[in-house]
Amino acid sequence: MEIIARNLSKFFGRNLALNVANIKISSGQITAIIGPNAAGKSTLLKILALLLKPDSGEIIFNGKNISAFTPARKLALRRQMVYLPQHPVIFSGSVRDNLAYGLKIRHSQNIREKVEQALRNFSLPMISERNARQISGGEKHRLMLARALVLETEVVFFDEPTTNLDPLGIKITEEIIENLRQQQRTIVLTTHNLILARHFADYIYFLDRGEIVQQGSAEDIFQHPGNCRIAEFTGSPNILTGEIIDAETFLTDGLKIFIARSEKRGPAAIIIRPEEILVSPEPIIHSSARNCLAGTVRQIKPIGLVRELKVQISPRNFLTVLITAESEQKMKLQIGTGVYLVFKATAIHLLEEMNETGQQIV
């Protein structure tokens, strides 16, 4: 099912919580909505799931604007979707009763068989007759998943599906999402779990202060963040702030860094990905890499066969770089060792710096 929403807004009191110009959920794909706390992710998800009415805008399902739908038609559409909240909502009665509830109100066929299958699929047979409100947190989560997915809807909305789960719960949830992908269900999820978003999402929207500030594939969002807030949220380690002083020079903390030619001038920020940086015990001058920065090793962190170095390049600037354990031994690195960091101007990704009100100033 394809979902398109345009010019959505939602106020809570006088506060504008959501202001989304355009969002498209492609049929049979996984769409992730990520962003900081209070960005409006859950509000947007509930509006798309027809659980919350926007103050303005239009929502189109498979090419048809729902504003013209009768209440009965909206109900029929709503029953093609299921919404899983961040915290399990458990009904009174047994685990079995909970699983049957949605099927009964939809007048489904073969309810008993579907319930038995769901109990087996989610490892719930042993507690099927227990009071659902008295089972453990992990069991409640599995029950909520089973109760939603037994309905076999076209669209599944997940609100923070892995929040507060232990590793086993996360693994179960990820397996369910993968199974739904293979069935070509349409999935929309909000998440702070960046590994989940990066691994599963076909398309990602980054929401900040109620607005979509970047969209694209996982590669677009994580490798080419649009501004500092996105870069920080997605965990980019090497963000340097400063200013572009000419077409090929970025100045930060008194340090000049050569960048690919840019027409921009003034305050800006850059990212240098760790894998783009070469560590050398001596300066490398005759190279296509224009940047060769002297630095001091301040931290060495073993990560399997790789070493993560934190190198100070100026009084307030540090760069994270990756080397092999073999290279660490050859260079005899330790805390306080002087090194040179070498990288090309084209390895630098230019960000739009943000001022205190969140407006772009580059």
Side-chain angles (χ1 to χ4, degrees), residues 8-230:
L8 292 180
S9 70
K10 183 64 182 177
F11 286 84
F12 293 110
R14 295 183 178 180
N15 296 321
L16 179 61
L18 195 69
N19 183 27
V20 170
N22 189 58
I23 183 170
K24 178 181 178 181
I25 309 300
S26 296
S27 179
Q29 293 193 351
I30 299 177
T31 301
I33 303 169
I34 65 174
N37 289 331
K41 301 185 297 297
S42 294
T43 298
L44 177 57
L45 195 72
K46 289 176 182 177
I47 288 174
L48 295 176
L50 305 183
L51 296 174
L52 185 64
K53 187 176 180 180
D55 291 313
S56 66
E58 60 180 2
I59 306 175
I60 300 165
F61 285 83
N62 286 341
K64 297 178 181 177
N65 194 318
I66 66 166
S67 62
F69 282 17
T70 63
R73 193 174 180 187
K74 283 185 180 179
L75 178 61
L77 174 62
R78 181 68 193 88
R79 287 182 173 175
Q80 296 177 51
M81 305 180 288
V82 67
Y83 170 85
L84 288 91
Q86 180 175 343
H87 303 290
V89 176
I90 304 299
F91 306 142
S92 61
S94 68
V95 168
R96 186 185 299 276
D97 293 336
N98 268 258
L99 287 174
Y101 178 79
L103 295 169
K104 288 179 178 178
I105 64 174
R106 284 167 166 78
H107 305 292
S108 299
Q109 301 295 315
N110 305 316
I111 292 177
R112 182 185 295 274
E113 290 82 356
K114 290 179 179 179
V115 168
E116 291 299 329
Q117 184 64 51
L119 287 169
R120 291 192 295 271
N121 289 345
F122 288 86
S123 303
L124 296 171
M126 297 296 291
I127 60 170
S128 63
E129 303 306 326
R130 287 182 57 188
N131 185 325
R133 291 181 173 173
Q134 296 178 359
I135 60 179
S136 71
E139 290 166 341
K140 286 179 180 177
H141 181 73
R142 295 207 309 276
L143 172 57
M144 183 181 70
L145 290 171
R147 189 180 63 200
L149 300 182
V150 75
L151 302 176
E152 299 181 330
T153 58
E154 290 186 43
V155 186
V156 182
F157 294 94
F158 290 95
D159 193 1
E160 298 286 354
T162 59
T163 296
N164 299 323
L165 294 184
D166 59 20
L168 178 59
I170 292 174
K171 181 175 182 292
I172 291 171
T173 302
E174 289 178 345
E175 289 174 350
I176 289 167
I177 292 173
E178 180 59 35
N179 288 335
L180 293 173
R181 181 211 290 276
Q182 293 176 6
Q183 297 170 25
Q184 295 188 315
R185 305 274 194 96
T186 302
I187 300 172
V188 189
L189 58 89
T190 68
T191 185
H192 280 89
N193 184 335
L194 301 183
I195 296 175
L196 180 75
R198 193 166 192 168
H199 180 71
F200 287 102
D202 298 296
Y203 202 79
I204 297 175
Y205 289 93
F206 192 99
L207 200 66
D208 191 17
R209 298 182 176 96
E211 297 185 0
I212 293 171
V213 294
Q214 189 174 358
Q215 58 182 284
S217 66
E219 174 77 11
D220 294 331
I221 302 296
F222 288 93
Q223 296 297 324
H224 306 286
N227 60 48
C228 281
R229 286 175 64 82
I230 299 172

Side-chain angles (χ1 to χ4, degrees), residues 305-307 323-332:
L305 297 177
V306 175
R307 299 294 182 263
I323 62 170
T324 64
E326 182 182 1
S327 295
E328 178 198 18
Q329 292 175 357
K330 284 183 177 179
M331 288 189 282
K332 300 179 180 179

Side-chain angles (χ1 to χ4, degrees), residues 254-272:
L255 188 68
K256 288 185 178 181
I257 296 177
F258 294 108
I259 60 175
R261 192 170 186 84
S262 173
E263 298 300 321
K264 297 178 179 180
R265 299 292 184 274
I270 62 171
I271 290 178
I272 313 166

Side-chain angles (χ1 to χ4, degrees), residues 279 299-310 320-329 333:
V279 180
Q299 186 181 79
I300 302 175
K301 182 179 179 181
I303 307 176
L305 297 177
V306 175
R307 299 294 182 263
E308 181 183 277
L309 308 183
K310 189 172 185 179
T320 296
V321 296
L322 301 174
I323 62 170
T324 64
E326 182 182 1
S327 295
E328 178 198 18
Q329 292 175 357
L333 296 181

Side-chain angles (χ1 to χ4, degrees), residues 320-353:
T320 296
V321 296
L322 301 174
I323 62 170
T324 64
E326 182 182 1
S327 295
E328 178 198 18
Q329 292 175 357
K330 284 183 177 179
M331 288 189 282
K332 300 179 180 179
L333 296 181
Q334 57 185 356
I335 304 303
T337 301
V339 294
Y340 291 87
L341 304 185
V342 183
F343 51 93
K344 295 181 178 180
T346 54
I348 296 170
H349 174 59
L350 182 63
L351 294 172
E352 295 168 325
E353 178 61 291

